[in-house]
Amino acid sequence: MLEKSKVLVLIGIIAILGNWVGYDVSPIAALPGIILIVLFTVIGLSLNVAIPKIPAVIWISLIALIATTPIFPGNEWIVEQTGKINFMALATPILAYAGLSLGKDLESFKKLGWRIVIVSLVVYTGTFLFATLFAEIVFKLQGRF
């Protein structure tokens, strides 16, 4: 759990810097939002240790969802603080960490062979095409296009 906490703090710092450089949100303004996101993640990871049959991402999402619902005290403040964090400022360090962790398993990745490239391309293409189709349908229903 200590290593996960260190990674979360590092990702939080990089996200704050990315939010500052890329989106002009001062680190002081972004700090409460990052602390809340890290707190929700730590609570979700702790619940995952206690009840491991449910994936951590479900616990983390559930905690964040509950904390931002109108029935939760202080939800407006939570939404306001986390709203200052741009998603891409969060995604960049997480994806970088995922890429680095893939590097340590390069031998396992090599065993998958060339087929993984084909599968990845099909998945990415399908995801893009269906997301585009879905967006087009929604925009048509809303009368934007």
Side-chain angles (χ1 to χ4, degrees):
M1 191 65 160
L2 181 63
E3 183 161 333
K4 287 181 183 179
S5 297
K6 288 179 186 177
V7 169
L8 287 172
V9 169
L10 180 63
I11 287 174
I13 291 169
I14 294 171
I16 285 175
L17 293 174
N19 215 31
W20 183 28
V21 171
Y23 303 100
D24 272 341
V25 178
S26 77
I28 300 300
L31 187 61
I34 288 291
I35 290 173
L36 286 167
I37 291 170
V38 169
L39 180 66
F40 297 153
T41 305
V42 168
I43 293 170
L45 290 173
S46 300
L47 285 170
N48 183 250
V49 169
I51 307 169
K53 291 188 178 204
I54 299 176
V57 70
I58 292 177
W59 284 120
I60 296 165
S61 299
L62 187 63
I63 297 299
L65 179 71
I66 291 170
T68 55
T69 58
I71 61 170
F72 194 82
N75 72 310
E76 292 103 7
W77 182 81
I78 294 170
V79 170
E80 178 185 342
Q81 297 307 312
T82 56
K84 295 176 185 174
I85 309 299
N86 188 292
F87 174 74
M88 290 309 292
L90 280 174
T92 304
I94 292 169
L95 291 174
Y97 181 74
L100 289 173
S101 68
L102 179 66
K104 71 178 177 88
D105 295 329
L106 204 51
E107 290 304 315
S108 299
F109 187 69
K110 286 179 185 177
K111 290 178 186 174
L112 295 174
W114 60 270
R115 288 178 210 88
I116 194 67
V117 174
I118 303 297
V119 170
S120 297
L121 289 173
V122 170
V123 168
Y124 297 145
T125 303
T127 302
F128 176 77
L129 290 176
F130 281 108
T132 305
L133 178 66
F134 181 74
E136 186 70 26
I137 291 169
V138 170
F139 282 150
K140 291 271 188 201
L141 291 174
Q142 291 178 344
R144 292 188 183 189
F145 292 112

